[in-house]
């Protein structure tokens, strides 16, 4: 039972997935720090109102439009980096792999032709 669990954990897919999760988490923190350091102040400058710029109040409830815009920008940056640094290279690699494959041979191979010939001659032989 433990051997099966060990095999499951050590399969390439599980290890690759674990590495992807760790790198994704670190990358999300990096993009979050970038938007907090650079995008938030820019939105605050454009919208006024300090670091949480573009906010307004209705009946003592604050609506922070700037925080929502920052979240959209964070998502767009993350999606763009994932697309251009993961999806595009994987597509290219898959295309190169597909181009490198040998085409299927046309017709029947020599082995199969010889085996069919032997089969036919044995079937036609008188008993």
């Amino acid at each position: 039972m433990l051997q099966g669990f060990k095999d499951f954990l050590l399969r390439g897919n599980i290890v690759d997935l674990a590495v992807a999760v760790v790198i994704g988490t670190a990358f999300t923190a990096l993009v979050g720090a970038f938007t907090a350091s650079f995008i938030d102040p820019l939105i605050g400058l454009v919208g006024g109102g300090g670091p949480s710029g573009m906010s307004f109040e209705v009946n003592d409830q604050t609506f922070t439009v700037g925080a929502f815009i920052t979240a959209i920008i964070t998502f767009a940056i993350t999606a763009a980096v994932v697309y251009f640094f993961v999806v595009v290279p994987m597509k290219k690699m898959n295309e190169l792999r597909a181009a490198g494959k040998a085409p299927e041979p046309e017709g029947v191979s020599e082995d199969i032709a010889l085996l069919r010939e032997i089969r036919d001659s044995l079937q036609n032989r008188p008993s």
Side-chain angles (χ1 to χ4, degrees):
M1 179 192 272
L2 290 178
Q3 181 62 34
F5 183 68
K6 180 181 172 187
D7 293 342
F8 171 75
L9 287 178
L10 295 179
R11 260 193 286 176
N13 297 353
I14 300 297
V15 174
D16 291 344
L17 181 61
V19 169
V21 167
V22 169
I23 289 175
T25 303
F27 179 72
T28 301
L30 177 69
V31 171
F34 173 78
T35 54
S37 298
F38 296 102
I39 304 299
D40 283 351
L42 288 175
I43 291 173
L45 284 174
V46 171
S52 63
M54 294 188 180
S55 61
F56 60 93
E57 281 191 30
V58 176
N59 293 334
D60 293 330
Q61 296 297 318
T62 304
F63 294 88
T64 55
V65 178
F68 180 69
I69 292 172
T70 300
I72 290 172
I73 292 171
T74 302
F75 173 77
I77 291 172
T78 304
V81 169
V82 167
Y83 179 76
F84 289 112
F85 288 104
V86 176
V87 174
V88 171
M90 287 301 292
K91 272 186 178 179
K92 188 68 172 171
M93 189 168 47
N94 287 339
E95 288 172 4
L96 291 174
R97 282 185 184 162
K101 286 186 178 177
E104 293 294 322
E106 293 183 21
V108 180
S109 68
E110 276 186 53
D111 305 8
I112 301 298
L114 182 60
L115 288 171
R116 286 182 181 168
E117 192 176 311
I118 292 170
R119 179 197 64 198
D120 293 343
S121 67
L122 286 172
Q123 285 177 346
N124 295 333
R125 192 172 80 179
S127 327

